[in-house]
Amino acid sequence: MKLKSKLSALLSLVLIACAAMVLSACSEVATTSQSCAFIVGDGGDTSDANVHEVVYPGQQANQGSDENVVYVPCNSRNYIINPTDKDNKNANGEEIGDYHKPIRAVTKDGTRLNIWLTSTWTLNQDRDVMMKYFYPFCEKYQCFSEGQDGEGNINSAAPGWNAMLAENMPFAIDATAHQVLPSYSDAVWKKDVDWDKIASEMSEKFADNFRKQTGFGADLICGSGDVSQWDDPEKPGKGKFTCGQVRFVINRIEPSDANQQRLVDRQTKAELEKNSNRASLNAAKQKYGSNAGNWLGMQDTIDKCNANAKCVVVLGKGSAVVQP
């Protein structure tokens, strides 16, 4: 009986130990191709509250019972600054864009501008940057999602993510535009020239302004696409992550003063009409010679007469009548 009791007690201890192992067992964390995950201590009695691991897109890792998991977008992103109007909606009728106030700048001619643009970017996936700098920055805004790929929220991101961008991106972009535009004349809005060049210069200067805006010396974001990637794009997290420049596309540049824009529009229209008239006269000279002006005048009169059913055109001394 004593042996049986000892065996029973031993079996109980084994069962208790097994139960403890089950309770402390790890669960699996998986990310999609669009997201990264942070595995973080839950701050309980048996854990700290630090970041323990970064899980890169398409990877798996183990989560302990005293750890939490949160997700952030890790794919190519854009930040669209555009006006609010009926044309800026997607096929679902939802408003397009992230920020709806223009970026301000001044040309070297002193004209104040409204600039509408798009920036393309992604997170800096360098492990140290994500763990030491981006996580605490993101935590300020609670920019994480508890589910993958933003869980269908606005712009496929958590509300805190959008708040983080709204508090930093427009101001860094605005500061960059203030550095770049003063070297350009009013031709940038009168004739829509040099937009690609402006975008390129903004890319060169943006990183420094974003660092100042966020207060971090490290680059928290990089350019999206092929300018920022791991040594082997198929093995994120291994080797070095190259952080390229955030890129810009200028969508529209216009003067802040709407009256100034209307004046230039009228001047542009008049110039186009003048060029059209000059082209018509040159073509008529080839056909009618020195009398080209007279023939064009008659054609113009007849064209205007066509709009009036009672109009009669008399050529010469009445010997020829044109009645449309």
Side-chain angles (χ1 to χ4, degrees), residues 93-147:
E94 300 163 335
E95 191 172 75
I96 296 172
D98 300 275
Y99 191 76
H100 304 294
K101 294 182 180 179
I103 296 300
R104 308 281 191 177
V106 181
T107 67
K108 66 180 180 182
D109 298 317
T111 302
R112 297 186 178 277
L113 302 176
N114 291 343
I115 305 171
W116 306 99
L117 53 77
T118 299
S119 63
T120 55
W121 61 281
T122 190
L123 287 184
N124 185 346
Q125 294 182 28
D126 178 88
R127 191 179 300 274
D128 283 346
V129 171
M130 292 195 76
M131 294 179 70
K132 295 179 181 179
Y133 305 114
F134 180 73
Y135 181 84
F137 179 68
C138 184
E139 192 173 30
K140 170 187 174 182
Y141 302 94
Q142 288 299 298
C143 83
F144 316 108
S145 297
E146 293 185 359

Side-chain angles (χ1 to χ4, degrees), residues 114 254-266:
N114 291 343
E254 58 193 13
S256 300
D257 185 349
N259 291 327
Q260 196 169 7
Q261 180 68 61
R262 283 192 287 269
L263 175 61
V264 170
D265 287 344
R266 287 196 295 270

Side-chain angles (χ1 to χ4, degrees), residues 19-196:
M21 289 177 65
V22 170
L23 289 173
S24 63
C26 297
S27 58
E28 189 176 83
V29 176
T31 57
T32 69
S33 61
Q34 308 297 311
S35 62
C36 290
F38 291 98
I39 299 178
V40 187
D42 64 8
D45 294 337
T46 61
S47 177
D48 55 32
N50 298 325
V51 179
H52 296 167
E53 184 59 76
V54 177
V55 187
Y56 289 103
Q59 295 184 348
Q60 297 177 340
N62 292 323
Q63 174 192 359
S65 61
D66 56 357
E67 293 178 321
N68 295 323
V69 178
V70 290
Y71 297 85
V72 292
C74 246
N75 55 344
S76 294
R77 313 291 294 180
N78 57 29
Y79 194 81
I80 301 173
I81 297 178
N82 61 343
T84 301
D85 59 48
K86 60 182 177 58
D87 295 325
N88 287 325
K89 296 184 183 297
N90 62 21
N92 297 322
E94 300 163 335
E95 191 172 75
I96 296 172
D98 300 275
Y99 191 76
H100 304 294
K101 294 182 180 179
I103 296 300
R104 308 281 191 177
V106 181
T107 67
K108 66 180 180 182
D109 298 317
T111 302
R112 297 186 178 277
L113 302 176
N114 291 343
I115 305 171
W116 306 99
L117 53 77
T118 299
S119 63
T120 55
W121 61 281
T122 190
L123 287 184
N124 185 346
Q125 294 182 28
D126 178 88
R127 191 179 300 274
D128 283 346
V129 171
M130 292 195 76
M131 294 179 70
K132 295 179 181 179
Y133 305 114
F134 180 73
Y135 181 84
F137 179 68
C138 184
E139 192 173 30
K140 170 187 174 182
Y141 302 94
Q142 288 299 298
C143 83
F144 316 108
S145 297
E146 293 185 359
Q148 299 174 349
D149 300 340
E151 302 176 308
N153 289 305
I154 296 174
N155 295 333
S156 300
W161 176 273
N162 295 320
M164 174 188 71
L165 296 180
E167 193 170 294
N168 293 279
M169 289 292 279
F171 299 101
I173 294 173
D174 196 80
T176 305
H178 273 80
Q179 293 173 339
V180 172
L181 267 298
S183 62
Y184 289 87
S185 72
D186 280 357
V188 298
W189 64 273
K190 286 183 177 180
K191 299 183 179 180
D192 296 351
V193 298
D194 291 330
W195 288 9
D196 288 344

